[in-house]
């Protein structure tokens, strides 16, 4: 199927604007690749340190003839999504030995749980942790003893940080190995209803805790379609996972077989063999366009609108907000997974999942098939799904039709003809809204504003009964320069109660919402942020704001509102406690949210 002209135009536009940066990047990668296996250039003392604890693998490492795989792991057993990784290094090493190679844990990276830090001071470190992860993974690979890299990570900032490093070390083949989602527990919509009842004061904390524990109940990724599971989708659409591996549950025979198969595959595509596939070749403009299509088709997390530009910058590619908007305009919304619907990711996977979706989007000409992937050339490989045969993962044809059209629909009969995210712009700046979970009747809200400087103030106003009419809730000074751009997911139950009371409510903020942001119309990532004197800093209670997701507009309507001097609140409390003292450099140097809010790439590309 010929590629859709809009998709091709966006790809060409990205390629043209990125050319100087991409060419310089590829030249650096080429030079790094030409040096051959890095171990050959280490001194005997260097090598002895690297292999001292490797036991029976020492000889193979010292001869340089066998490929050596560096494992970068985000394992900890406080994150349910990452707890399964404790078994992966042994599985990977066994698979490497079976193919004549070796593997070493090169290093670990931090991995915080946004579910634990929601509404807490630690959430102000969350976005910055992405860049810390990228740097920590870079330290792990800086030992220069590896022919390929295996990245073990799942959740919100972890995968984007690891992709930044995979691109930075672009001469190395890189594969991502998922851990899979936890089995289904208390349905997400029932959990959300319990949260709303608690917010309204109808139930006590004991009932709330029982519901939360029944929902988050075991190893694996949380089952709603938030940032973590959006990451997993992205790794398949961009060709960094093995096909069909994203949503296989942890600690199962198929999950283990896929981990072994990924280990064997990445060792087969090093520069020592005949199928050399460096990460730089996988992470090209077409791969990022495919990722954006997947984001829109699945109604994925708004957080990826921040992460994808930062990931792309590491590969010399410049993504801009208009790229997301153009791709959304022609990409159908094919999935309804909570919070966009009642199903969870296990139901989505059972209904045909990513394999059906990729096949449909390829047929519609909305994805580039002519890409390189860790599985081999061509994204069409990702229409195949894995099965277990004699303990080994084998691939066959994936589903040709949906198993449940209430969860997953063909591209020709989607839930809506355009993507799940809507770009916003106007006199209040630029932003993004996740419209896939919002009632179409709420896509346009025009109402007086109430201005707040943190989410606790909103909750206090709610408890005091101050919300009695239609309202646009503005929570400002939540951008990366102000306090690290924390997620404001804790507002979802409160604002949902107001919607259920019949009020027309919208949220406007320079902060973020969780990937699980639901039915509240929320204009997020507003740039320029208030701390830099952006328009949100000039709003006052009573100003009338129009949030229009249909037209893609965000405007204050009363004359003179933006002529005022900006508010300048005291933000000193955000600079200390819970480790925030250590991140002042990030708050001072982080770049624009439209370019990924990264301290690694703070400057506008020339």
């Amino acid at each position: 199927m010929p590629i859709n002209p809009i998709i091709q135009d966006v790809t060409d536009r990205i390629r043209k604007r990125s050319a100087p940066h991409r060419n310089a990047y590829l030249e650096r990668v080429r030079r790094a690749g030409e040096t051959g296996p890095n171990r050959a250039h280490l001194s005997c003392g260097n090598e002895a340190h690297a292999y001292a604890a490797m036991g029976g693998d020492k000889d193979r490492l010292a001869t340089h003839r066998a490929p050596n795989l560096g494992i970068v792991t985000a394992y900890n057993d406080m994150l349910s999504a990452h707890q399964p990784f404790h078994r992966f290094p042994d599985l990977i090493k066994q698979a490497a030995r079976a193919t004549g190679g070796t593997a070493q844990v090169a290093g670990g990276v931090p991995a915080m749980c946004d579910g634990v830090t929601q509404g807490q001071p630690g959430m102000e470190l969350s976005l910055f942790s992405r860049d810390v992860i990228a740097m920590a993974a870079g330290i792990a690979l800086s030992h220069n003893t590896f022919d390929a890299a295996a990245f073990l990570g799942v959740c919100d900032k972890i995968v984007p940080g690891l992709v930044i490093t995979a691109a930075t070390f672009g001469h190395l083949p890189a594969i991502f190995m998922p851990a899979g989602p936890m089995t289904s527990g208390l349905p997400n919509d029932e959990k959300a209803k319990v949260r709303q009842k608690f917010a309204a004061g109808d139930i006590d904390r004991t009932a709330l805790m029982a519901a939360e524990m029944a929902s988050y109940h075991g190893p694996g990724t949380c089952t709603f379609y938030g940032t973590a599971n959006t990451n997993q989708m992205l790794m398949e659409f961009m060709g960094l996972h093995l096909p069909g591996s994203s949503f296989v549950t942890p600690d199962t025979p198929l999950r283990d077989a896929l981990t072994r198969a990924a280990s064997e595959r990445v060792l087969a595509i090093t520069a020592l063999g005949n199928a050399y596939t460096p990460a730089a070749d996988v992470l090209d403009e077409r791969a990022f366009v495919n990722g954006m299509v997947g984001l829109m088709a699945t109604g994925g997390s708004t957080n990826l609108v921040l992460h994808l530009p930062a990931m792309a910058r590491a590969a010399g590619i410049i993504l801009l907000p208009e790229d997301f908007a153009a791709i959304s305009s022609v990409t159908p919304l094919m999935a309804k997974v909570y919070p966009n619907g009642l199903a969870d990711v296990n139901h989505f996977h059972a209904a045909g999942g990513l394999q059906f979706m990729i096949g449909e989007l390829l047929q519609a000409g909305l994805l580039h098939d002519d890409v390189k992937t860790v599985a081999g050339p061509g994204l069409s490989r990702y229409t195949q799904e894995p099965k277990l045969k004699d303990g080994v993962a084998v691939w066959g044809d994936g589903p040709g039709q949906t198993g449940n059209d209430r969860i997953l629909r063909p591209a020709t009969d989607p839930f809506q003809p355009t993507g799940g995210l809507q770009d916003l712009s106007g006199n209040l700046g630029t932003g993004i809204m996740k419209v896939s979970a919002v009632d179409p009747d709420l896509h346009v809200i025009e109402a007086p504003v109430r201005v707040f400087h943190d989410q606790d103030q909103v909750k206090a106003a709610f408890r005091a009964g101050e919300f009695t009419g239609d309202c646009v809730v503005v929570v400002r000074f939540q951008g990366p320069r102000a306090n690290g751009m924390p997620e404001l997911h804790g507002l979802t139950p409160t604002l949902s109660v107001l919607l259920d009371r019949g009020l027309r409510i919208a949220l406007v903020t320079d902060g973020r919402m969780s990937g699980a942001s639901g039915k509240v119309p929320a204009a997020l990532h507003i740039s320029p942020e208030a701390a830099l004197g952006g328009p949100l800093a000039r709003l006052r209670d009573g100003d009338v704001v129009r949030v229009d997701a249909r037209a893609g507009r965000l405007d204050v309507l009363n004359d003179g509102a933006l002529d005022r001097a900006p508010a300048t609140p005291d933000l000193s409390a955000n600079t200390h406690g819970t480790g925030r003292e250590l991140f002042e450099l990030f708050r001072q140097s982080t770049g624009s949210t439209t370019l990924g809010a990264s301290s690694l790439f703070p400057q506008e590309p020339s």
Side-chain angles (χ1 to χ4, degrees), residues 418 421-424 433 435 438-445 504 521 546-554:
T418 56
L421 301 179
Q422 175 62 55
D423 190 54
L424 302 172
M433 181 187 290
V435 294
V438 176
D439 186 325
D441 185 53
L442 298 175
H443 284 186
V444 180
I445 303 288
R504 295 179 64 79
R546 181 178 177 87
V547 182
D548 187 344
R550 294 175 190 155
R553 297 289 305 177
L554 177 64

Side-chain angles (χ1 to χ4, degrees), residues 518-601:
K519 64 184 182 181
V520 179
L524 310 172
H525 310 176
I526 304 304
S527 181
E529 64 173 285
L532 294 178
L536 290 189
R538 302 170 192 274
L539 291 180
R540 302 291 183 269
D541 285 352
D543 289 342
V544 177
V545 164
R546 181 178 177 87
V547 182
D548 187 344
R550 294 175 190 155
R553 297 289 305 177
L554 177 64
D555 297 285
V556 59
L557 302 184
N558 40 303
D559 293 338
L562 299 181
D563 296 332
R564 308 177 183 120
T568 54
D570 179 7
L571 299 174
S572 60
N574 303 121
T575 64
H576 61 273
T578 324
R580 288 177 287 179
E581 297 91 336
L582 306 175
F583 286 80
E584 180 62 28
L585 179 64
F586 288 79
R587 286 189 293 272
Q588 291 179 359
S589 63
T590 297
S592 164
T593 56
T594 59
L595 295 172
S598 175
S599 57
L600 303 177
F601 314 106

